[in-house]
Amino acid sequence: MPGPDFPETGDTSLYAAVPKTDPVTETVQINAMNVILDVKNLSVEEAAQFRVAWSRCLTETPKTAIGEVTRNPGDFDRANENLTSAITLRAIETLAGEFMMFHAYGLADPVTGATVTFIAPSGTWKTTVARTLGTQWGYVSDETITVRPDLSIVAYPKPLSVKQAEPQSPKLQEGPDSFGLGIAPSDPVLRRITLLGRSTNVTEVSLETVPLAEAILELTPQLSALSRIEPRIGSALHHD
């Protein structure tokens, strides 16, 4: 029985058209200061890496998310840094007006929950100090300390954003477990505020009391959505 006629092109290869399939992506759900967010468009490998870094902020069971954050195209280290910022900003926007939110890191006594916050602008070694002292205390956050009116804190044990040696490189998102940081107690409470500063004229670490008026001036720029906060928090915090 004769076979089908093929054009005589001199090429004996056979070609077949196959449907194009989209890459498999996953969604990871995050609890950021009790704000539930879906992180979308992660590859299987990226989702696994993301879960390790965010292990202390994963939801135990699926919940209804109030919003979503999507991975940007391009290199994952850069996209991962952007995801961390987007998650934090979305949580802050959601909680604005309800709580005091300091740009700070916090370490808590694992037994009593008493928490010291270290407040400072970016670039003042907050993350470095958190990594150094956090092995002895409960790691509350290295980014945002959210304080309720009764001075209890909503823990946010996100990955630490670690600078690389190259100036223009994205910060790496490293989970607190990778540094052996302590687990935050279930009920952290704000007990002390420390203003962290760097000076080229100082060769040793020093600690001094800051007058209240001066402290307020230093604290104000490090508060998120300050204009939307009602004056509800009382004087339960002991000032040092």
Side-chain angles (χ1 to χ4, degrees):
M1 181 176 179
D5 290 331
F6 289 97
E8 295 185 5
T9 62
D11 186 353
T12 59
S13 301
L14 296 179
Y15 296 91
V18 295
K20 182 180 179 180
T21 58
D22 293 328
V24 176
T25 61
E26 292 192 12
T27 297
V28 178
Q29 195 167 84
I30 294 296
N31 181 338
M33 296 174 276
N34 290 340
V35 176
I36 308 300
L37 298 170
D38 286 336
V39 181
K40 294 193 169 186
N41 205 33
L42 298 169
S43 72
V44 175
E45 294 78 9
E46 291 168 354
Q49 180 179 336
F50 190 85
R51 288 189 180 96
V52 171
W54 286 85
S55 61
R56 298 192 188 181
C57 293
L58 298 176
T59 55
E60 295 182 2
T61 57
K63 303 179 185 296
T64 301
I66 65 100
E68 62 184 49
V69 177
T70 303
R71 180 212 194 282
N72 291 336
D75 176 74
F76 182 58
D77 282 346
R78 182 75 63 186
N80 203 13
E81 180 183 30
N82 291 336
L83 280 175
T84 297
S85 297
I87 290 168
T88 301
L89 288 174
R90 185 62 186 272
I92 288 174
E93 289 169 0
T94 302
L95 299 176
E98 296 185 45
F99 309 115
M100 283 275 193
M101 289 179 284
F102 295 98
H103 180 216
Y105 74 86
L107 299 174
D109 185 305
V111 177
T112 67
T115 301
V116 177
T117 64
F118 296 80
I119 300 177
S122 298
T124 48
W125 292 2
K126 292 194 304 300
T127 296
T128 300
V129 177
R131 288 164 54 185
T132 303
L133 301 180
T135 56
Q136 305 174 49
W137 307 97
Y139 169 65
V140 178
S141 182
D142 83 325
E143 177 64 33
T144 302
I145 299 297
T146 301
V147 185
R148 299 184 179 98
D150 63 357
L151 298 185
S152 62
I153 294 173
V154 182
Y156 182 35
K158 57 175 283 294
L160 284 74
S161 299
V162 182
K163 289 184 178 179
Q164 300 188 68
E166 297 77 9
Q168 301 304 319
S169 298
K171 293 181 179 179
L172 297 181
Q173 309 306 303
E174 303 284 355
D177 290 335
S178 65
F179 299 107
L181 304 188
I183 302 295
S186 58
D187 53 351
V189 179
L190 182 61
R191 285 292 178 256
R192 294 290 188 275
I193 289 177
T194 301
L195 300 172
L196 189 64
R198 295 174 62 184
S199 176
T200 57
N201 300 321
V202 176
T203 58
E204 296 182 356
V205 176
S206 62
L207 185 66
E208 61 185 66
T209 300
V210 181
L212 180 58
E214 183 179 338
I216 291 174
L217 291 177
E218 294 288 339
L219 289 173
T220 300
Q222 308 308 322
L223 279 165
S224 299
L226 178 61
S227 62
R228 297 169 61 180
I229 299 175
E230 295 182 8
R232 298 179 298 175
I233 295 181
S235 56
L237 178 65
H238 175 74
H239 172 68
D240 278 340

